[in-house]
Amino acid sequence: MKKVLSLIVAIIYTVCTYAQAGGGAVLEKEYQLFDFSLNASRLEAGITAGQVGSFTDRARFGLGAYAMYNGFYLDFIKADPQHKYDSHLTEEQYHDNAAFSIHAGYQIPILKWLRIMPLAGYTQTNEGVTDGKSLNYDYDSDGGSSWYHDYTVTPGSRLHYFNYGAGLSVQPSKWFSINLIASRYALYGGIGLDIMTIAKHR
C-alpha cells in the first residue's frame, strides 16, 4: 500500500517539476495540469476484478462494476462462496468464505490521460456453510439459468471494516480507461468505456 502511494506521489512530483522547466510551458499548455474541467460531463462505466478481503484470512477473488460521473467514482466488488455455483450433488457441507467491498471517491486529473483517486469505503467478510445436498435451479431476467447450492452464514462470523485507499486511472485512448485500486482490504483493477465519447461518435 505504501509503495503504491509513493509511486503516485513520485508521478505527481515528476510532472510538476517538468512543468516548471523550459519545456514545461508547452506541456502545461497541451495537457492543462490539474484541470478539473476535464471531469465535466465525463461518464464512464466498467467492470472490476481482483481480491476482496485482502490482508485477512478470508481473502477471495471477486468481480464487480464501477461507474464514474463528473469525477465522482463509485465501485462494488463481490466474492461469492467457493462452492455456491458447483453443479454437483454431494453429501459434503463446505465451509466457505464470502466478501464484498464498496468504494467511493473523486478523480483528480493530473494530466488529460492520468488521474488519481482518493477512496473510502466499506468491506465485509463472513464464513458460512454451503450445503452440497441442495441443488437449486435459477432463471434470470435475460432468459439464462444457473445451478446453485444454499449458503448459510455462520452466526457471529460477519466482520465489518472501514476501508480506505487510492486508485490510479490511465486513459490510453479517448474510448476507455484502466483503473488500479489499492485499499486496506481490497486489491483490484478495472476497465471501462467512456460512454459520453462513444455516444458523440455514433
Side-chain angles (χ1 to χ4, degrees), residues 153-164:
V153 176
T154 303
S157 72
R158 292 190 192 278
L159 296 178
H160 310 272
Y161 305 94
F162 169 70
N163 208 359
Y164 55 91

Side-chain angles (χ1 to χ4, degrees), residues 54-117:
S54 302
F55 311 109
T56 74
D57 57 2
R58 301 175 182 177
R60 296 285 320 287
F61 175 80
L63 297 171
Y66 84 88
M68 191 279 296
Y69 180 65
N70 279 354
F72 292 97
Y73 174 91
L74 181 67
D75 72 25
F76 177 84
I77 184 167
K78 180 182 180 183
D80 284 319
Q82 293 95 314
H83 299 89
K84 182 175 181 178
Y85 297 107
D86 189 337
S87 61
H88 299 89
L89 280 169
T90 175
E91 294 295 320
E92 289 194 57
Q93 302 287 308
Y94 299 103
H95 293 276
D96 290 342
N97 299 325
F100 76 85
S101 285
I102 184 170
H103 296 94
Y106 185 78
Q107 291 192 341
I108 301 172
I110 307 303
L111 297 171
K112 185 177 181 180
W113 55 271
L114 178 67
R115 296 170 174 82
I116 60 172
M117 303 180 290

Side-chain angles (χ1 to χ4, degrees), residues 41-59:
S41 300
R42 183 177 174 82
L43 175 63
E44 281 185 22
I47 58 174
T48 58
Q51 189 182 72
V52 195
S54 302
F55 311 109
T56 74
D57 57 2
R58 301 175 182 177

Side-chain angles (χ1 to χ4, degrees), residues 42 44-45 66 113 115 169-179 190-195 197-198:
R42 183 177 174 82
E44 281 185 22
Y66 84 88
W113 55 271
R115 296 170 174 82
S169 181
V170 178
Q171 188 178 12
S173 83
K174 64 182 179 180
W175 305 104
F176 71 97
S177 293
I178 300 171
N179 301 321
I191 184 168
L193 299 177
D194 186 334
I195 297 173
T197 299
I198 293 173

